[in-house]
Amino acid sequence: MESKIHSSLRTVEWKDNTVVMIDQTKLPNDLVYVKFTDYREIADAIRNLVVRGAPAIGVSGAFGLALEVLQSNATTKEDLLSDLEQARKVLHETRPTAVNLAWGLERIMQVAKSGKDVLNIKESVVEEAKRMADEDIQVNMRMGKYGAQLFSDNDTIMTHCNAGALATVGYGTALGVIRATKESGKKITVIATETRPVMQGSRLTVFELKHDGIDVSLIPDTAVGYAMARGLVSKVIVGADRILHTGHVYNKIGTYQIAIMAKEHKIPFYVAAPLSTFDLKSRPEDVIIEQRKASEVTTLAGKKTAPDGINVINPAFDMTPPELISGIITEIGIAKPPLEESIKKLFESKL
Ligand code: MRU
């Protein structure tokens, strides 16, 4: 059964053995849905940011494998697993930082490997991918309920990038907490940063909050210090692409400088992320930060904003260390500092 949420957008969906997604590159000007039947198209969609946000690409990767299981002509379990492995590799290589992608692909591969025969694998893989999509919404809603306790009536909440319905299957992580706070009856307003260079804040966060009737003001990334120094911000909440066992949080480029500024102004800085965003094995030096193309920085709306032939550094993510974080909200509770200890306890409580 599919979860229905009336107050937000459904980013990615399995429909009649195809995958339907909102094309996020067209937002905020056009709300366009695109349909895919081949995992290679899903890989392109992830690479080109048609779909983005850690949980959304995790489920999209799973849907990519579900398409492959239907398309494969394999007649033996071994051949089907080999086709799936080939697809897994292509999907996995699209974006290196968000761990949800590897998590989603691995969960499907495990289901496929435990299948009896070709028919059984086909059915169970499609079912599992659909279940993951529905679970994503439920997880976000649970996270929202925990997170809402941290926010008060009349809070102004700053967020960065888009960790909303558009970054997940629906409802959102950081914006899910904002939605749940509002649904609990508290009056809140949001300040969203533009999030240069891809503008997930202005194009996506502001679009979806406006769509759902949540009060939001857009600021340039450069006005974060101004807003905090003027007392315009009560709390900050962001999503995450990967969280290590030590509490190091990888998220959209610019998160780190916002966390530092929040600390300076004694403003609580929260992260909201599902357990599927935790990577308990890696160390900071193991994490690959995706570097994106220079033209994202040297052009604006198709026009050049920098001279030709210059050097550009365009990392998609940065790392915020645990000492800058006031709490990490998950679907099973909130990890508070010291984060390494509370993350350990959180995962132990799950066993
Ligand atoms: O490059 P993007 O748009 O995929 O980056 C997205 C983010 O950094 C989000 O904050 C993160 O994935 C959390 S989404 C719930």
Side-chain angles (χ1 to χ4, degrees), residues 197-233:
V198 180
M199 315 301 255
Q200 289 93 333
S202 58
R203 292 191 306 106
L204 309 176
T205 293
V206 174
F207 169 83
E208 78 166 77
L209 292 180
K210 181 169 179 275
H211 180 272
D212 286 358
I214 298 176
D215 184 75
V216 57
S217 301
L218 175 66
I219 60 164
D221 298 317
T222 41
V224 169
Y226 168 94
M228 289 186 178
R230 291 243 162 171
L232 302 181
V233 184

mmCIF file of all heavy atoms in Angstrom, residues 197-233:
data_model
loop_
_atom_site.group_PDB
_atom_site.id
_atom_site.type_symbol
_atom_site.label_atom_id
_atom_site.label_comp_id
_atom_site.label_asym_id
_atom_site.label_seq_id
_atom_site.Cartn_x
_atom_site.Cartn_y
_atom_site.Cartn_z
ATOM 1 N N PRO A 197 26.107 26.504 -5.515
ATOM 2 C CA PRO A 197 25.787 27.036 -6.834
ATOM 3 C C PRO A 197 24.546 26.408 -7.479
ATOM 4 O O PRO A 197 24.091 26.917 -8.509
ATOM 5 C CB PRO A 197 27.039 26.684 -7.652
ATOM 6 C CG PRO A 197 27.522 25.417 -7.027
ATOM 7 C CD PRO A 197 27.182 25.505 -5.548
ATOM 8 N N VAL A 198 23.992 25.332 -6.911
ATOM 9 C CA VAL A 198 22.886 24.642 -7.610
ATOM 10 C C VAL A 198 21.518 25.175 -7.153
ATOM 11 O O VAL A 198 20.492 24.865 -7.722
ATOM 12 C CB VAL A 198 23.030 23.096 -7.476
ATOM 13 C CG1 VAL A 198 21.916 22.356 -8.172
ATOM 14 C CG2 VAL A 198 24.363 22.640 -8.065
ATOM 15 N N MET A 199 21.513 26.003 -6.120
ATOM 16 C CA MET A 199 20.303 26.711 -5.672
ATOM 17 C C MET A 199 19.185 25.795 -5.173
ATOM 18 O O MET A 199 18.010 26.054 -5.416
ATOM 19 C CB MET A 199 19.753 27.605 -6.802
ATOM 20 C CG MET A 199 20.767 28.414 -7.542
ATOM 21 S SD MET A 199 21.634 29.506 -6.423
ATOM 22 C CE MET A 199 20.926 31.061 -6.777
ATOM 23 N N GLN A 200 19.562 24.722 -4.448
ATOM 24 C CA GLN A 200 18.523 23.841 -3.920
ATOM 25 C C GLN A 200 17.630 24.579 -2.929
ATOM 26 O O GLN A 200 16.460 24.220 -2.750
ATOM 27 C CB GLN A 200 19.148 22.618 -3.229
ATOM 28 C CG GLN A 200 19.799 21.617 -4.156
ATOM 29 C CD GLN A 200 21.275 21.885 -4.339
ATOM 30 O OE1 GLN A 200 21.743 23.016 -4.219
ATOM 31 N NE2 GLN A 200 22.032 20.855 -4.667
ATOM 32 N N GLY A 201 18.201 25.597 -2.246
ATOM 33 C CA GLY A 201 17.409 26.351 -1.270
ATOM 34 C C GLY A 201 16.342 27.195 -1.947
ATOM 35 O O GLY A 201 15.159 27.104 -1.623
ATOM 36 N N SER A 202 16.768 28.015 -2.903
ATOM 37 C CA SER A 202 15.787 28.914 -3.536
ATOM 38 C C SER A 202 14.875 28.165 -4.501
ATOM 39 O O SER A 202 13.679 28.403 -4.540
ATOM 40 C CB SER A 202 16.500 30.062 -4.260
ATOM 41 O OG SER A 202 17.392 29.554 -5.221
ATOM 42 N N ARG A 203 15.420 27.218 -5.257
ATOM 43 C CA ARG A 203 14.599 26.531 -6.266
ATOM 44 C C ARG A 203 13.670 25.496 -5.633
ATOM 45 O O ARG A 203 12.540 25.319 -6.072
ATOM 46 C CB ARG A 203 15.489 25.819 -7.304
ATOM 47 C CG ARG A 203 16.268 26.743 -8.210
ATOM 48 C CD ARG A 203 16.906 26.005 -9.378
ATOM 49 N NE ARG A 203 17.741 24.888 -8.968
ATOM 50 C CZ ARG A 203 17.403 23.609 -9.094
ATOM 51 N NH1 ARG A 203 16.265 23.265 -9.657
ATOM 52 N NH2 ARG A 203 18.223 22.651 -8.677
ATOM 53 N N LEU A 204 14.164 24.792 -4.594
ATOM 54 C CA LEU A 204 13.419 23.628 -4.102
ATOM 55 C C LEU A 204 12.791 23.854 -2.721
ATOM 56 O O LEU A 204 11.594 23.626 -2.541
ATOM 57 C CB LEU A 204 14.339 22.395 -4.076
ATOM 58 C CG LEU A 204 15.103 22.118 -5.383
ATOM 59 C CD1 LEU A 204 16.046 20.944 -5.224
ATOM 60 C CD2 LEU A 204 14.144 21.877 -6.543
ATOM 61 N N THR A 205 13.611 24.288 -1.733
ATOM 62 C CA THR A 205 13.069 24.458 -0.373
ATOM 63 C C THR A 205 11.973 25.515 -0.351
ATOM 64 O O THR A 205 10.887 25.292 0.192
ATOM 65 C CB THR A 205 14.208 24.802 0.604
ATOM 66 O OG1 THR A 205 15.047 23.654 0.696
ATOM 67 C CG2 THR A 205 13.693 25.168 1.981
ATOM 68 N N VAL A 206 12.252 26.651 -0.952
ATOM 69 C CA VAL A 206 11.268 27.728 -0.937
ATOM 70 C C VAL A 206 10.029 27.306 -1.737
ATOM 71 O O VAL A 206 8.897 27.548 -1.334
ATOM 72 C CB VAL A 206 11.904 29.030 -1.471
ATOM 73 C CG1 VAL A 206 10.869 30.122 -1.608
ATOM 74 C CG2 VAL A 206 13.001 29.484 -0.518
ATOM 75 N N PHE A 207 10.262 26.598 -2.849
ATOM 76 C CA PHE A 207 9.139 26.104 -3.658
ATOM 77 C C PHE A 207 8.245 25.180 -2.832
ATOM 78 O O PHE A 207 7.034 25.335 -2.782
ATOM 79 C CB PHE A 207 9.683 25.358 -4.891
ATOM 80 C CG PHE A 207 8.622 24.602 -5.645
ATOM 81 C CD1 PHE A 207 7.824 25.253 -6.581
ATOM 82 C CD2 PHE A 207 8.410 23.249 -5.414
ATOM 83 C CE1 PHE A 207 6.837 24.560 -7.272
ATOM 84 C CE2 PHE A 207 7.417 22.560 -6.091
ATOM 85 C CZ PHE A 207 6.632 23.214 -7.025
ATOM 86 N N GLU A 208 8.863 24.192 -2.144
ATOM 87 C CA GLU A 208 8.002 23.217 -1.455
ATOM 88 C C GLU A 208 7.353 23.794 -0.201
ATOM 89 O O GLU A 208 6.227 23.426 0.131
ATOM 90 C CB GLU A 208 8.702 21.868 -1.213
ATOM 91 C CG GLU A 208 9.669 21.775 -0.077
ATOM 92 C CD GLU A 208 10.028 20.315 0.257
ATOM 93 O OE1 GLU A 208 10.828 19.730 -0.490
ATOM 94 O OE2 GLU A 208 9.524 19.782 1.262
ATOM 95 N N LEU A 209 8.039 24.706 0.501
ATOM 96 C CA LEU A 209 7.410 25.313 1.688
ATOM 97 C C LEU A 209 6.251 26.214 1.260
ATOM 98 O O LEU A 209 5.191 26.214 1.879
ATOM 99 C CB LEU A 209 8.443 26.075 2.524
ATOM 100 C CG LEU A 209 9.501 25.187 3.208
ATOM 101 C CD1 LEU A 209 10.483 26.021 4.013
ATOM 102 C CD2 LEU A 209 8.862 24.131 4.115
ATOM 103 N N LYS A 210 6.441 26.947 0.193
ATOM 104 C CA LYS A 210 5.358 27.804 -0.323
ATOM 105 C C LYS A 210 4.191 26.913 -0.763
ATOM 106 O O LYS A 210 3.032 27.180 -0.457
ATOM 107 C CB LYS A 210 5.896 28.629 -1.494
ATOM 108 C CG LYS A 210 4.873 29.564 -2.105
ATOM 109 C CD LYS A 210 5.539 30.547 -3.067
ATOM 110 C CE LYS A 210 4.500 31.472 -3.690
ATOM 111 N NZ LYS A 210 3.854 30.870 -4.869
ATOM 112 N N HIS A 211 4.519 25.816 -1.455
ATOM 113 C CA HIS A 211 3.503 24.856 -1.923
ATOM 114 C C HIS A 211 2.643 24.358 -0.763
ATOM 115 O O HIS A 211 1.453 24.146 -0.889
ATOM 116 C CB HIS A 211 4.250 23.697 -2.597
ATOM 117 C CG HIS A 211 3.385 22.611 -3.147
ATOM 118 N ND1 HIS A 211 2.981 21.530 -2.403
ATOM 119 C CD2 HIS A 211 2.851 22.437 -4.379
ATOM 120 C CE1 HIS A 211 2.245 20.735 -3.150
ATOM 121 N NE2 HIS A 211 2.141 21.261 -4.354
ATOM 122 N N ASP A 212 3.282 24.186 0.416
ATOM 123 C CA ASP A 212 2.563 23.655 1.581
ATOM 124 C C ASP A 212 2.117 24.742 2.557
ATOM 125 O O ASP A 212 1.696 24.442 3.667
ATOM 126 C CB ASP A 212 3.461 22.652 2.332
ATOM 127 C CG ASP A 212 3.568 21.342 1.578
ATOM 128 O OD1 ASP A 212 2.927 21.221 0.518
ATOM 129 O OD2 ASP A 212 4.291 20.449 2.042
ATOM 130 N N GLY A 213 2.235 25.997 2.168
ATOM 131 C CA GLY A 213 1.735 27.087 3.009
ATOM 132 C C GLY A 213 2.550 27.327 4.268
ATOM 133 O O GLY A 213 2.004 27.751 5.287
ATOM 134 N N ILE A 214 3.857 27.052 4.227
ATOM 135 C CA ILE A 214 4.710 27.333 5.398
ATOM 136 C C ILE A 214 5.472 28.640 5.132
ATOM 137 O O ILE A 214 6.091 28.800 4.070
ATOM 138 C CB ILE A 214 5.676 26.155 5.675
ATOM 139 C CG1 ILE A 214 4.855 24.893 6.008
ATOM 140 C CG2 ILE A 214 6.649 26.489 6.821
ATOM 141 C CD1 ILE A 214 5.669 23.635 6.201
ATOM 142 N N ASP A 215 5.412 29.541 6.108
ATOM 143 C CA ASP A 215 6.010 30.864 5.952
ATOM 144 C C ASP A 215 7.534 30.765 5.792
ATOM 145 O O ASP A 215 8.214 30.182 6.642
ATOM 146 C CB ASP A 215 5.668 31.692 7.204
ATOM 147 C CG ASP A 215 6.171 33.102 7.080
ATOM 148 O OD1 ASP A 215 5.543 33.854 6.324
ATOM 149 O OD2 ASP A 215 7.205 33.427 7.701
ATOM 150 N N VAL A 216 8.069 31.312 4.715
ATOM 151 C CA VAL A 216 9.511 31.190 4.468
ATOM 152 C C VAL A 216 10.079 32.474 3.880
ATOM 153 O O VAL A 216 9.440 33.127 3.066
ATOM 154 C CB VAL A 216 9.815 29.966 3.546
ATOM 155 C CG1 VAL A 216 9.075 30.040 2.223
ATOM 156 C CG2 VAL A 216 11.311 29.796 3.314
ATOM 157 N N SER A 217 11.287 32.838 4.336
ATOM 158 C CA SER A 217 12.021 33.954 3.735
ATOM 159 C C SER A 217 13.309 33.406 3.133
ATOM 160 O O SER A 217 14.014 32.618 3.775
ATOM 161 C CB SER A 217 12.416 34.983 4.798
ATOM 162 O OG SER A 217 11.271 35.483 5.433
ATOM 163 N N LEU A 218 13.614 33.850 1.940
ATOM 164 C CA LEU A 218 14.836 33.432 1.244
ATOM 165 C C LEU A 218 15.945 34.444 1.515
ATOM 166 O O LEU A 218 15.704 35.648 1.452
ATOM 167 C CB LEU A 218 14.542 33.370 -0.261
ATOM 168 C CG LEU A 218 15.702 33.077 -1.197
ATOM 169 C CD1 LEU A 218 16.225 31.651 -0.980
ATOM 170 C CD2 LEU A 218 15.268 33.243 -2.659
ATOM 171 N N ILE A 219 17.145 33.940 1.841
ATOM 172 C CA ILE A 219 18.290 34.857 1.991
ATOM 173 C C ILE A 219 19.451 34.354 1.127
ATOM 174 O O ILE A 219 19.570 33.147 0.887
ATOM 175 C CB ILE A 219 18.777 34.985 3.469
ATOM 176 C CG1 ILE A 219 19.218 33.630 4.046
ATOM 177 C CG2 ILE A 219 17.729 35.632 4.347
ATOM 178 C CD1 ILE A 219 20.043 33.741 5.321
ATOM 179 N N PRO A 220 20.320 35.267 0.688
ATOM 180 C CA PRO A 220 21.539 34.792 0.025
ATOM 181 C C PRO A 220 22.409 34.064 1.055
ATOM 182 O O PRO A 220 22.341 34.375 2.252
ATOM 183 C CB PRO A 220 22.222 36.066 -0.452
ATOM 184 C CG PRO A 220 21.434 37.213 0.037
ATOM 185 C CD PRO A 220 20.240 36.725 0.788
ATOM 186 N N ASP A 221 23.222 33.128 0.616
ATOM 187 C CA ASP A 221 24.111 32.399 1.531
ATOM 188 C C ASP A 221 24.973 33.368 2.342
ATOM 189 O O ASP A 221 25.323 33.103 3.486
ATOM 190 C CB ASP A 221 25.027 31.464 0.732
ATOM 191 C CG ASP A 221 24.229 30.409 -0.017
ATOM 192 O OD1 ASP A 221 23.301 29.850 0.568
ATOM 193 O OD2 ASP A 221 24.534 30.174 -1.200
ATOM 194 N N THR A 222 25.297 34.473 1.715
ATOM 195 C CA THR A 222 26.182 35.459 2.340
ATOM 196 C C THR A 222 25.501 36.233 3.473
ATOM 197 O O THR A 222 26.160 37.008 4.165
ATOM 198 C CB THR A 222 26.651 36.446 1.250
ATOM 199 O OG1 THR A 222 25.520 36.740 0.421
ATOM 200 C CG2 THR A 222 27.755 35.855 0.420
ATOM 201 N N ALA A 223 24.188 36.058 3.667
ATOM 202 C CA ALA A 223 23.477 36.805 4.723
ATOM 203 C C ALA A 223 23.258 35.972 5.985
ATOM 204 O O ALA A 223 22.546 36.401 6.892
ATOM 205 C CB ALA A 223 22.138 37.308 4.190
ATOM 206 N N VAL A 224 23.884 34.804 6.068
ATOM 207 C CA VAL A 224 23.697 33.942 7.254
ATOM 208 C C VAL A 224 24.197 34.660 8.509
ATOM 209 O O VAL A 224 23.514 34.706 9.537
ATOM 210 C CB VAL A 224 24.414 32.581 7.062
ATOM 211 C CG1 VAL A 224 24.464 31.805 8.376
ATOM 212 C CG2 VAL A 224 23.703 31.758 5.990
ATOM 213 N N GLY A 225 25.391 35.245 8.430
ATOM 214 C CA GLY A 225 25.968 35.944 9.587
ATOM 215 C C GLY A 225 25.108 37.136 9.975
ATOM 216 O O GLY A 225 24.820 37.356 11.160
ATOM 217 N N TYR A 226 24.660 37.883 9.000
ATOM 218 C CA TYR A 226 23.788 39.036 9.240
ATOM 219 C C TYR A 226 22.541 38.592 10.003
ATOM 220 O O TYR A 226 22.182 39.177 11.026
ATOM 221 C CB TYR A 226 23.413 39.658 7.883
ATOM 222 C CG TYR A 226 22.297 40.673 7.944
ATOM 223 C CD1 TYR A 226 22.575 42.030 8.078
ATOM 224 C CD2 TYR A 226 20.961 40.270 7.862
ATOM 225 C CE1 TYR A 226 21.548 42.965 8.134
ATOM 226 C CE2 TYR A 226 19.927 41.195 7.930
ATOM 227 C CZ TYR A 226 20.230 42.543 8.067
ATOM 228 O OH TYR A 226 19.206 43.462 8.123
ATOM 229 N N ALA A 227 21.890 37.550 9.501
ATOM 230 C CA ALA A 227 20.626 37.094 10.111
ATOM 231 C C ALA A 227 20.849 36.631 11.551
ATOM 232 O O ALA A 227 20.064 36.940 12.445
ATOM 233 C CB ALA A 227 20.021 35.973 9.270
ATOM 234 N N MET A 228 21.952 35.926 11.786
ATOM 235 C CA MET A 228 22.225 35.422 13.134
ATOM 236 C C MET A 228 22.595 36.577 14.075
ATOM 237 O O MET A 228 22.109 36.651 15.196
ATOM 238 C CB MET A 228 23.324 34.363 13.100
ATOM 239 C CG MET A 228 22.847 33.066 12.461
ATOM 240 S SD MET A 228 24.098 31.784 12.595
ATOM 241 C CE MET A 228 23.233 30.417 11.822
ATOM 242 N N ALA A 229 23.447 37.464 13.605
ATOM 243 C CA ALA A 229 23.895 38.576 14.449
ATOM 244 C C ALA A 229 22.732 39.491 14.825
ATOM 245 O O ALA A 229 22.726 40.111 15.880
ATOM 246 C CB ALA A 229 24.989 39.358 13.732
ATOM 247 N N ARG A 230 21.733 39.583 13.944
ATOM 248 C CA ARG A 230 20.574 40.442 14.210
ATOM 249 C C ARG A 230 19.512 39.753 15.060
ATOM 250 O O ARG A 230 18.427 40.296 15.269
ATOM 251 C CB ARG A 230 19.936 40.819 12.878
ATOM 252 C CG ARG A 230 20.785 41.724 12.063
ATOM 253 C CD ARG A 230 20.059 43.021 11.881
ATOM 254 N NE ARG A 230 20.980 44.056 11.464
ATOM 255 C CZ ARG A 230 20.554 45.246 11.068
ATOM 256 N NH1 ARG A 230 19.287 45.529 11.033
ATOM 257 N NH2 ARG A 230 21.432 46.150 10.733
ATOM 258 N N GLY A 231 19.779 38.510 15.468
ATOM 259 C CA GLY A 231 18.804 37.790 16.306
ATOM 260 C C GLY A 231 17.602 37.287 15.530
ATOM 261 O O GLY A 231 16.534 37.049 16.091
ATOM 262 N N LEU A 232 17.771 37.092 14.217
ATOM 263 C CA LEU A 232 16.629 36.668 13.410
ATOM 264 C C LEU A 232 16.455 35.154 13.399
ATOM 265 O O LEU A 232 15.489 34.645 12.850
ATOM 266 C CB LEU A 232 16.797 37.146 11.955
ATOM 267 C CG LEU A 232 16.963 38.645 11.723
ATOM 268 C CD1 LEU A 232 17.080 38.961 10.237
ATOM 269 C CD2 LEU A 232 15.767 39.399 12.322
ATOM 270 N N VAL A 233 17.406 34.409 13.963
ATOM 271 C CA VAL A 233 17.378 32.943 13.866
ATOM 272 C C VAL A 233 17.313 32.317 15.259
ATOM 273 O O VAL A 233 18.181 32.563 16.095
ATOM 274 C CB VAL A 233 18.661 32.427 13.142
ATOM 275 C CG1 VAL A 233 18.610 30.917 12.950
ATOM 276 C CG2 VAL A 233 18.870 33.143 11.822
#
